[in-house]
Amino acid sequence: MTDLSALEWRVVGEERRPGPLTMALEEVAAETAADGGPATVRVYQWPDTLSLGYNQDPETIDWDYCDREGIEVTRRPTGGGAIYHDAVGDISYGIVAPAEAVPSDLMECYELFCEPVLTAFAGMGVDADFVDAEREAIYHPACYLRALHPAHDIVGPDDRKVSGNAQYRQRDAVIQHGSLSFSLRPERHCGCFVGDPDPARFRERVGAIDEYADISRATAVETLRSTLAEWAGASEGGWTDAELDRAREIADEKYRSDDWVRRSP
């Protein structure tokens, strides 16, 4: 395993792009890292978007509600349930590095890549840590209402989930992405699903940064961005024109296509 500090890192953030392009840029960052280019840490903002888990049944989604409310729908390459990424309430991040530079054991890699996330929470004044034991699901199709797992689910001081994280490997690179809840709109989140999940139960399971700390979203975003950059030793960077062109191709061919978004597991 290569020392992460020996890699060239760039930090990109915070940017807001359509959901399909947001996912496609992860694939491009993986290609870049695998081909000897810089590894990437990034912070990004979604427009109101529902991202389905890789094996999500499209029949669990209220497509009419999403269309009516202007919520774009795409599908992630990672598992788990669907996540409603609120344009203001959600803060998302990504870490992309060559596979040879990180632990091959999934749990070890989660622990390594979640270090800066936990450090960022501390910097925001939020006492957060991995959930200490598995908890049963409340509503399986929704990621934040699924069973909690100590490997990748982070809870706040009152044991409500405040961050979810996931990993996948592609093109000899490891990609971890995750979301931090800054504020909540449970009715809108629950409205994306059939089966009428209960917003009150959502609040019982899910917490948010603005409930735990007197901090603005801009400050929370900068805390996460700077913490990721310091952890990686990253320089300020951005996407090349070639990367953006490649990402647009992937977004059109994959992340916007019904064959990907609405496919049955």
Side-chain angles (χ1 to χ4, degrees):
M1 185 180 75
T2 304
D3 183 355
L4 288 181
S5 64
L7 297 174
E8 176 191 357
W9 287 87
R10 63 180 169 183
V11 57
V12 181
E14 178 187 51
E15 57 180 1
R16 176 176 172 174
R17 300 180 187 273
L21 188 58
T22 292
M23 289 290 89
L25 282 166
E26 284 192 342
E27 291 200 26
V28 171
E31 292 176 357
T32 296
D35 291 341
T40 300
V41 288
R42 62 190 293 231
V43 180
Y44 53 95
Q45 179 186 34
W46 302 75
D48 286 0
T49 305
L50 186 72
S51 72
L52 280 59
Y54 181 75
N55 289 315
Q56 185 101 29
D57 185 344
E59 296 300 318
T60 62
I61 305 305
D62 188 334
W63 296 91
D64 289 340
Y65 177 88
C66 292
D67 183 62
R68 185 170 64 250
E69 296 296 320
I71 300 170
E72 186 172 32
V73 183
T74 189
R75 186 181 290 269
R76 305 186 308 274
T78 49
I83 303 173
Y84 169 60
H85 302 279
D86 184 282
V88 175
D90 177 278
I91 302 172
S92 288
Y93 78 92
I95 302 173
V96 183
E100 65 181 8
V102 303
S104 58
D105 180 82
L106 178 63
M107 296 301 102
E108 289 183 25
C109 200
Y110 265 129
E111 186 173 355
L112 176 65
F113 280 6
C114 285
E115 281 179 10
V117 179
L118 292 172
T119 301
F121 272 122
M124 298 174 199
V126 178
D127 181 13
D129 204 349
F130 292 112
V131 64
D132 58 6
E134 291 191 35
R135 297 184 192 165
E136 292 184 357
I138 293 174
Y139 179 75
H140 194 68
C143 189
Y144 270 69
L145 298 180
R146 280 194 168 200
L148 300 188
H149 195 287
H152 45 72
D153 288 317
I154 295 173
V155 295
D158 55 5
D159 280 340
R160 288 186 296 160
K161 181 172 178 176
V162 72
S163 174
N165 309 274
Q167 267 187 39
Y168 65 105
R169 296 186 180 235
Q170 179 174 306
R171 279 292 307 272
D172 297 323
V174 175
I175 301 103
Q176 177 166 307
H177 56 205
S179 65
L180 288 66
S181 294
F182 179 75
S183 62
L184 301 179
R185 285 203 280 176
E187 290 77 14
R188 193 165 169 84
H189 199 134
C190 292
C192 295
F193 300 91
V194 299
D196 298 322
D198 183 0
R201 294 206 69 192
F202 186 94
R203 283 195 178 275
E204 291 173 359
R205 170 58 65 90
V206 184
I209 293 166
D210 67 355
E211 296 178 319
Y212 303 133
D214 183 14
I215 186 174
S216 69
R217 185 183 185 280
T219 300
V221 167
E222 175 54 25
T223 299
L224 179 60
R225 188 207 65 81
S226 62
T227 303
L228 285 166
E230 182 177 357
W231 172 82
S235 301
E236 294 292 331
W239 308 107
T240 66
D241 289 342
E243 285 178 316
L244 287 170
D245 287 343
R246 172 71 175 140
R248 292 184 186 106
E249 290 177 6
I250 295 173
D252 289 340
E253 294 172 1
K254 182 177 180 179
Y255 291 103
R256 286 193 179 95
S257 73
D258 281 349
D259 287 345
W260 172 258
V261 178
R262 293 183 182 245
R263 68 177 182 81
S264 297

